[in-house]
């Protein structure tokens, strides 16, 4: 029985992680970009402030798979008028309670339902919170397309833990003209996922997965808009590396 338990835990550790490593650089000139853009058409996002009524789209052009450079001239100068978040219906949802289920969206802390809408709301609220105090002289709109939102299943959370694997594409636009001020940029924002007693203790303090992920995304967007190097994804070791296999 002891050998079986050790074997089971070994397999669990190997299958419980997700993520990848990212490095950012920013030194492009402040100009309008003609690179592939994220197209937003429908009207169902939350406006922070400002005149735009644009919202999430049914279709979008795929952004580059590697991080792109951002204009340093707008760092610490933006005032975010609106955030548009799209969670494409093409992203696969998994409700399987496994250590590492296949799928693009794995989410458990809301009732079973429209996971795409739930993830969209998490992003919308987090990015709004992360940009609400930016009061620079460059009014912008941020368009975001979620590529991956892989939180922990019940089985992983209450045993070995893992990594919240989060990836999205982002474009910054002029709030008045709608023209892109940056090329589409891939942002990887992985976060360590609590497991076992650590997860139980955190929940007892009200620190749920949603709370941690939301606070993390708010900090990610702040760094994206204020630091020359942007947000640099954390190196989370073995759990993160397993997702590349």
């Amino acid at each position: 029985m002891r050998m079986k338990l050790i074997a089971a835990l070994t397999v669990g550790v190997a299958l419980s992680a997700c993520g990848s490593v990212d490095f950012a650089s920013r030194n492009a000139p402040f100009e309008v970009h003609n690179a592939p853009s994220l197209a937003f058409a429908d009207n169902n996002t939350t406006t922070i402030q400002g005149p735009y009524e644009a919202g999430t789209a049914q279709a979008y052009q795929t952004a580059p798979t590697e991080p792109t450079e951002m204009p340093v001239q707008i760092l610490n100068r933006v005032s975010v008028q609106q955030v548009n978040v799209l969670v494409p219906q093409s992203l696969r949802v998994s409700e399987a309670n496994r250590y590492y289920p296949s799928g693009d969206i794995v989410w458990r802390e809301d009732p079973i339902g429209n996971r795409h809408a739930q993830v969209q709301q998490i992003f919308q609220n987090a990015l709004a919170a992360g940009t609400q105090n930016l009061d620079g002289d460059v009014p912008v709109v941020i368009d975001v397309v979620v590529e991956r939102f892989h939180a922990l299943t019940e089985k992983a959370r209450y045993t070995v833990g893992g990594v919240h694997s989060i990836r999205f594409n982002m474009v910054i636009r002029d709030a008045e003209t709608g023209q892109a001020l940056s090329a589409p940029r891939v942002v990887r924002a992985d976060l360590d996922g609590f497991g076992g007693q650590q997860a139980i203790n955190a929940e007892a303090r009200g620190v749920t997965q949603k709370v941690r992920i939301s606070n993390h995304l708010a900090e990610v967007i702040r760094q994206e808009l204020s630091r020359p190097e942007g947000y640099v994804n954390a190196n989370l070791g073995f759990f993160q590396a397993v997702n590349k296999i």
Side-chain angles (χ1 to χ4, degrees):
M1 291 296 295
R2 180 177 298 176
M3 292 302 296
K4 289 181 179 179
L5 178 59
I6 293 173
L9 290 176
T10 301
V11 172
V13 169
L15 295 177
S16 65
C18 37
S20 59
V21 180
D22 180 33
F23 297 93
S25 64
R26 299 182 176 208
N27 54 18
F30 180 35
E31 61 183 13
V32 174
H33 288 256
N34 294 317
S37 62
L38 312 180
F40 289 75
D42 294 344
N43 296 321
N44 56 3
T45 69
T46 301
T47 299
I48 297 174
Q49 57 180 358
Y52 271 23
E53 296 296 335
T56 57
Q58 295 177 345
Y60 66 97
Q61 292 177 289
T62 303
T65 57
E66 295 299 327
T68 56
E69 296 178 343
M70 300 279 283
V72 296
Q73 288 85 345
I74 65 173
L75 294 177
N76 293 305
R77 290 182 55 195
V78 302
S79 174
V80 179
Q81 307 298 298
Q82 181 174 321
V83 177
N84 300 319
V85 178
L86 168 64
V87 182
Q89 292 299 308
S90 58
L91 295 184
R92 294 172 297 122
V93 176
S94 176
E95 298 289 351
N97 189 18
R98 303 174 186 147
Y99 286 110
Y100 181 58
S102 60
D104 306 303
I105 296 176
V106 175
W107 180 239
R108 296 292 186 272
E109 283 193 353
D110 286 309
I112 293 178
N114 188 335
R115 298 301 191 191
H116 295 81
Q118 292 168 0
V119 171
Q120 193 270 348
Q121 194 62 56
I122 291 170
F123 262 85
Q124 197 76 57
N125 293 341
L127 299 186
T131 58
Q132 64 180 351
N133 293 325
L134 301 180
D135 57 356
D137 60 347
V138 180
V140 300
V141 170
I142 299 177
D143 291 348
V144 165
V145 175
V146 178
E147 285 191 343
R148 183 174 178 84
F149 188 89
H150 213 286
L152 302 187
T153 64
E154 300 89 339
K155 182 174 287 188
R157 181 159 174 78
Y158 295 113
T159 54
V160 295
V163 170
H164 302 300
S165 178
I166 301 171
R167 185 174 70 243
F168 60 94
N169 294 327
M170 182 179 77
V171 169
I172 300 175
R173 298 186 181 279
D174 185 292
E176 296 181 358
T177 67
Q179 292 181 301
L181 301 178
S182 72
R185 171 178 170 75
V186 177
V187 180
R188 292 176 173 86
D190 296 341
L191 176 67
D192 62 307
F194 293 163
Q197 191 61 49
Q198 185 182 26
I200 294 172
N201 293 342
E203 287 185 3
R205 301 192 304 270
V207 183
T208 62
Q209 291 187 82
K210 182 182 285 188
V211 168
R212 293 191 68 233
I213 290 172
S214 297
N215 291 341
H216 175 62
L217 286 174
E219 179 59 27
V220 167
I221 197 65
R222 278 194 292 267
Q223 292 189 26
E224 279 293 311
L225 299 175
S226 62
R227 295 176 57 176
E229 69 275 20
Y231 178 78
V232 179
N233 201 20
N235 185 352
L236 300 177
F238 174 75
F239 280 179
Q240 192 178 48
V242 166
N243 190 55
K244 295 182 179 180
I245 300 175

